[in-house]
Amino acid sequence: FTQAGKDLLRRLTESTRPKITHNGLKADMPWLARVNNPLNGYVHDTLLMHALLDEHHKTHKLKDLSRQLLGNDRKDEYILHAEQKKYKQYLDWNTRVPQAIQHVYAVADAADTLQLFEMLWPQLVSQNLVELYENEVRVRLTYNKMHERGVLVDWTSLEKTLKSLDAPIDEVAKHIYELFDEEFNIHPSSPQSGNILKKHFPLTVQTDKSSKEKPRWKTDKDTLEPFIGDERI
């Protein structure tokens, strides 16, 4: 940052006027606080808005939403990434990528965020989700404070609570082993769980082909939910 840039940033953050961001509650606010420029005023977050309106959408990333919802091609993103590849370290490209390229990219981000807000806010209103959205904003701000300050933990109570769960978990595990007539690691991310599902439900379980490791049978929430109520279980 030049001094002029620092002064502008401080004026923007000190203003109590509402701010519109995309993922600003989770990313920008903590960063600004760390550089002694805490963001004042109410902070909107279009990523959170979209997540509430379309929970199961494949992505809530700004550039993806820009292309899918706003119809913008965002070629500036490809130009920036091509320039970044010339430098190995983050600080290198942050200081050496021409301002003309960074400026176009930043302006497009800001314009798209505003457009998304103008598109999504009326939908929140019409679907009576404003109160829920505002509660989610408060929760995110609370998370930020917890991350910044930490939380007080009563280790004695925590250990007692965790220990009290051992017996019920063991009982559930025993029941699962009896159903499948063998013992295995029942943790959802365990390859053994996937193999068991493959063995008993070969037509339903899907292979996780996205893994960089050897393909395994998927055991994520979306894959396992269809088995709820299955009479074979």
Side-chain angles (χ1 to χ4, degrees):
F1 281 109
T2 63
Q3 188 57 50
K6 292 179 181 179
D7 292 340
L8 175 60
L9 178 62
R10 186 170 297 280
R11 290 199 298 272
L12 289 173
T13 56
E14 287 180 347
S15 170
T16 57
R17 296 182 63 181
K19 315 295 189 302
I20 300 173
T21 69
H22 190 87
N23 201 30
L25 290 170
K26 182 178 180 180
D28 298 329
M29 287 192 72
W31 180 83
L32 287 167
R34 287 197 298 271
V35 296
N36 297 318
N37 280 290
L39 198 56
N40 294 312
Y42 193 88
V43 179
H44 283 289
D45 195 321
T46 50
L47 184 149
L48 182 55
M49 290 181 176
H50 186 259
L52 288 175
L53 289 166
D54 194 352
E55 177 185 358
H56 300 292
H57 195 275
K58 186 176 181 180
T59 177
H60 306 296
K61 295 180 179 179
L62 179 59
K63 258 63 77 176
D64 292 324
L65 297 184
S66 175
R67 296 184 178 101
Q68 297 169 17
L69 302 183
L70 304 177
N72 298 329
D73 57 36
R74 290 307 302 265
K75 292 180 180 178
D76 56 282
E77 180 186 22
Y78 306 129
I79 294 173
L80 176 66
H81 288 175
E83 189 69 23
Q84 290 172 346
K85 289 179 181 179
K86 298 178 182 179
Y87 313 106
K88 294 182 179 180
Q89 300 297 327
Y90 170 81
L91 290 178
D92 286 341
W93 70 253
N94 193 42
T95 56
R96 296 172 64 181
V97 171
Q99 281 296 308
I101 293 177
Q102 295 194 50
H103 179 76
V104 171
Y105 178 85
V107 169
D109 268 5
D112 286 349
T113 300
L114 178 58
Q115 278 189 272
L116 283 174
F117 177 83
E118 293 173 339
M119 172 187 289
L120 300 177
W121 180 257
Q123 295 180 37
L124 288 174
V125 174
S126 65
Q127 296 184 39
N128 297 317
L129 293 174
V130 172
E131 184 177 358
L132 176 59
Y133 164 72
E134 292 176 341
N135 286 338
E136 291 292 337
V137 169
R138 285 192 284 270
V139 168
R140 184 66 253 179
L141 293 175
T142 301
Y143 285 160
N144 289 349
K145 289 296 184 183
M146 291 170 63
H147 182 75
E148 176 185 343
R149 301 176 182 176
V151 294
L152 183 62
V153 176
D154 183 340
W155 283 107
T156 301
S157 297
L158 179 60
E159 290 176 348
K160 182 179 179 181
T161 300
L162 292 175
K163 192 170 184 179
S164 70
L165 296 175
D166 288 343
I169 291 176
D170 290 343
E171 186 64 30
V172 171
K174 180 180 177 181
H175 182 57
I176 292 174
Y177 300 151
E178 290 174 350
L179 287 172
F180 289 100
D181 199 29
E182 60 181 298
E183 294 190 9
F184 58 96
N185 185 347
I186 61 176
H187 192 281
S189 64
S190 166
Q192 293 183 32
S193 296
N195 290 333
I196 290 294
L197 291 175
K198 173 188 174 182
K199 178 179 178 181
H200 292 271
F201 310 101
L203 299 179
T204 308
V205 184
Q206 306 170 37
T207 305
D208 185 1
K209 298 179 181 179
S210 64
S211 175
K212 294 181 180 180
E213 303 173 358
K214 184 178 179 180
R216 63 176 59 177
W217 293 95
K218 295 173 65 176
T219 53
D220 57 86
K221 176 176 176 290
D222 291 338
T223 301
L224 295 179
E225 275 190 339
F227 292 101
I228 296 177
D230 192 309
E231 62 182 13
R232 293 171 295 179
I233 299 179

